[in-house]
Amino acid sequence: MSRSSLRTKRLIEADKKYIWHPFTQMKEWNESTPLIIESAEGNYIIDTDGNRYLDATSSLWVTVHGHRVKEIDNAIKKQLGRIAHSTLLGLGNVTSIELAERLVEIAPKNLTRLFYSDNGSTAVEVALKLSYQYWYQNGQHGKKRFISFTGAYHGDTFGSMSVGEVGVFVDKFHPLLFKSLYAPYAYCYRCPVEKSYPTCKIACLDKLEEVLKEHNNEVAAVVIEPLVQGAAGMITAPDGFLKGVARLAKKYGVHLIADEVAVGFGRTGEMFACDTEKVRPDFLCLAKGITGGYMPMAVTLTTEKVYKKFLGRYEEFNAFFHGHTYTGNPLAAAAALANLGLFKKRNTMDRVKKSAAVLAKLLTPFSELAHAGDVRQRGLMVGIELVKDKSIKSQFDPADRVGHKVCMDTREHGVIIRPIGNTIIIMPPFSIKTAELKKIVQTVFESIKRITE
Ligand SMILES: *Cc1c(COP(=O)(O)O)cnc(C)c1O
């Protein structure tokens, strides 16, 4: 890959001079030669020197039908000919209404009301606030805590961080966060109750039940990433775990908040992860894939029962006093409508299931790799956990930057992926072709071998 043009050099210099990148040690960034992306075509992204890379992370879990999709491009252009933005504060707008109708149609049947925001963190923040305020207005002022799971990631605002559990994201902020309760997620490779599936009968759920039994009077909701914990490293829960969590939430009279920001819109093989186990959450948080990877937008769906608890006379002040400037943005809603329209037109869910089966087959040789401890997959979400010694599942030293090195190596071979620590993530767009999947998996395989063996 040549990255030598004067223009690229100038852009890199300016990037390093001004931009602070997310989740990034900027010293390391400043010593690197970053890629500067300028355009895209289908499943490829293209840098300023014309090098093409397969987008095997879906541009961080958002791209659905690939890049520069004619139908979505046109929907946005058409909307630009009408209006780019109008507020939902005191006004309605056409595309946000049409999108709300579509979302309620496809969401779990009990979810009939929808609140717009603009990113995953705020979608979760809204669910937390609605849940708490619901109980408050129900006269249950004591229900003000949340239960979440080990390894949970729900975003980077203070509320969403407070229900998060990934150390590097939240540890330093602990004194500023509200205190949540935690139960173990079903991380089978490193089982929290030291059993194995399926003989365990999902015994880790007992821990959740213990917490609920002791604290349900002070708990508003259980917050979960259904089926797959993304940021924890694509931890795939076994069948029945989600259903079990939903059953316990109901049994102990607390809300269930399903954070489907990452898994929603088809990633796990069903439109929503909750559909897989026929779970009906009280809140469903959606973002990332909603606009097909085009624009920021998020929604929090909830039930009629929750909605009604906020109705009353103005001066009772029972309304939900919350909102964001770009709430219900018409351009983003137009993109989302076009994105959803394509699911039907392109038979996207069939395609996801087929690609997931192909991917599973392609991943089988990974068990031969000396350092691939666990290879996890659900739909088109894959995590390959690299370990120093497979027999004892020991971790690599963070200073070795093994995951990072693997991803830098695949990049030199035309495939963009991102690690989470030493877990290698593969999450292709649904438009990925079989030949492209092969190229991605083969490149990742060879890079892991080159870097770790
Ligand atoms: C990415 C993510 C979020 C946060 O979304 P942002 O748009 O980055 O704020 C929340 N929950 C889950 C499960 C996510 O994967």
Side-chain angles (χ1 to χ4, degrees):
M1 304 273 169
S2 108
R3 263 172 242 132
S4 49
S5 73
L6 280 177
R7 178 165 169 262
T8 301
K9 285 198 175 112
R10 197 202 69 75
L11 284 164
I12 291 175
E13 222 167 87
D15 178 286
K16 289 181 179 176
K17 192 166 168 192
Y18 298 114
I19 297 178
W20 194 334
H21 287 261
F23 299 102
T24 302
Q25 175 43 259
M26 291 308 295
K27 181 172 182 290
E28 188 174 86
W29 177 272
N30 291 334
E31 289 161 1
S32 72
T33 308
L35 292 187
I36 311 296
I37 299 303
E38 182 155 49
S39 61
E41 199 183 327
N43 301 316
Y44 288 85
I45 49 178
I46 304 166
D47 72 11
T48 42
D49 294 314
N51 299 304
R52 295 160 64 87
Y53 306 85
L54 274 165
D55 183 3
T57 65
S58 298
S59 290
L60 236 130
W61 315 357
V62 297
T63 313
V64 173
H65 306 287
H67 295 274
R68 287 175 56 207
V69 182
K70 197 172 69 246
E71 290 87 342
I72 306 178
D73 290 1
N74 288 342
I76 294 168
K77 285 179 197 156
K78 202 166 144 197
Q79 184 57 37
L80 276 173
R82 294 176 176 143
I83 189 167
H85 183 66
S86 169
T87 181
L88 286 196
L89 224 176
L91 297 169
N93 76 61
V94 176
T95 48
S96 72
I97 296 168
E98 289 170 354
L99 177 60
E101 284 177 322
R102 280 291 289 132
L103 288 170
V104 167
E105 207 177 284
I106 60 175
K109 286 293 158 268
N110 61 325
L111 302 173
T112 52
R113 298 284 174 173
L114 169 165
F115 193 94
Y116 281 112
S117 62
D118 44 32
N119 64 75
S121 311
T122 54
V124 171
E125 205 80 29
V126 165
L128 298 174
K129 287 177 74 173
L130 284 175
S131 175
Y132 166 75
Q133 191 175 335
Y134 170 91
W135 294 117
Y136 187 93
Q137 288 173 185
N138 203 41
Q140 288 165 281
H141 296 195
K143 283 170 93 66
K144 55 188 178 187
R145 299 186 78 179
F146 296 92
I147 300 176
S148 69
F149 292 89
T150 51
Y153 177 78
H154 298 288
D156 295 324
T157 55
F158 274 97
S160 58
M161 276 200 294
S162 296
V163 289
E165 204 268 337
V166 179
V168 290
F169 299 150
V170 297
D171 277 355
K172 291 202 175 77
F173 296 103
H174 266 154
L176 306 181
L177 303 177
F178 60 74
K179 305 274 175 276
S180 292
L181 297 157
Y182 295 95
Y185 200 80
Y187 182 5
C188 295
Y189 180 60
R190 300 178 189 277
C191 176
V193 291
E194 292 173 17
K195 295 194 170 164
S196 60
Y197 184 80
T199 49
C200 66
K201 299 205 170 82
I202 324 187
C204 50
L205 282 171
D206 298 346
K207 298 275 177 193
L208 173 63
E209 179 147 27
E210 279 169 31
V211 178
L212 277 165
K213 204 175 261 171
E214 189 179 341
H215 296 281
N216 67 82
N217 285 333
E218 44 172 334
V219 168
V222 175
V223 192
I224 188 170
E225 291 163 83
L227 298 191
V228 185
Q229 280 188 320
M234 298 298 150
I235 309 297
T236 52
D239 292 339
F241 180 70
L242 174 61
K243 187 104 194 157
V245 170
R247 182 180 53 79
L248 290 172
K250 192 164 195 157
K251 179 173 171 188
Y252 288 93
V254 307
H255 288 142
L256 180 67
I257 299 174
D259 174 359
E260 294 215 24
V261 169
V263 296
F265 300 104
R267 296 275 168 205
T268 66
E270 295 292 339
M271 197 57 176
F272 299 109
C274 283
D275 297 338
T276 310
E277 301 196 356
K278 303 202 165 39
V279 160
R280 294 186 164 185
D282 299 284
F283 299 92
L284 179 67
C285 307
L286 302 171
K288 291 198 169 98
I290 190 169
T291 60
Y294 270 65
M295 260 181 276
M297 165 160 271
V299 297
T300 307
L301 287 126
T302 189
T303 62
E304 215 55 29
K305 187 173 175 187
V306 168
Y307 178 78
K308 284 203 176 118
K309 193 57 71 187
F310 291 71
L311 302 179
R313 280 176 288 109
Y314 171 80
E315 63 276 18
E316 291 174 290
F317 300 114
N318 278 350
F320 186 46
F321 287 96
H322 184 106
H324 300 282
T325 309
Y326 280 95
T327 289
N329 174 257
L331 269 185
L337 276 165
N339 172 45
L340 292 176
L342 284 175
F343 273 82
K344 212 175 239 172
K345 189 171 160 198
R346 295 192 174 177
N347 263 326
T348 297
M349 290 318 300
D350 284 347
R351 196 180 171 132
V352 169
K353 288 191 179 90
K354 277 181 196 142
S355 297
V358 170
L359 185 54
K361 207 171 251 173
L362 290 171
L363 287 168
T364 44
F366 280 67
S367 58
E368 297 156 22
L369 285 168
H371 297 278
D374 191 26
V375 182
R376 306 184 275 266
Q377 182 193 0
R378 182 67 99 147
L380 286 179
M381 305 175 90
V382 172
I384 301 155
E385 183 170 334
L386 301 177
V387 294
K388 197 165 181 172
D389 182 345
K390 259 172 142 168
S391 65
I392 53 168
K393 306 180 181 180
S394 58
Q395 322 255 15
F396 281 106
D397 188 329
D400 292 343
R401 304 292 277 123
V402 171
H404 176 72
K405 283 178 187 158
V406 168
C407 297
M408 289 300 111
D409 192 69
T410 64
R411 182 181 288 193
E412 291 311 308
H413 296 84
V415 174
I416 299 283
I417 50 171
R418 280 276 306 174
I420 295 174
N422 292 320
T423 298
I424 306 300
I425 309 300
I426 304 176
M427 201 151 144
F430 304 165
S431 47
I432 201 80
K433 298 188 177 92
T434 301
E436 293 167 342
L437 262 185
K438 277 186 186 152
K439 154 102 182 171
I440 290 168
V441 175
Q442 201 165 354
T443 304
V444 171
F445 185 90
E446 279 157 17
S447 291
I448 291 176
K449 215 173 164 98
R450 240 189 319 274
I451 300 297
T452 61
E453 291 179 19

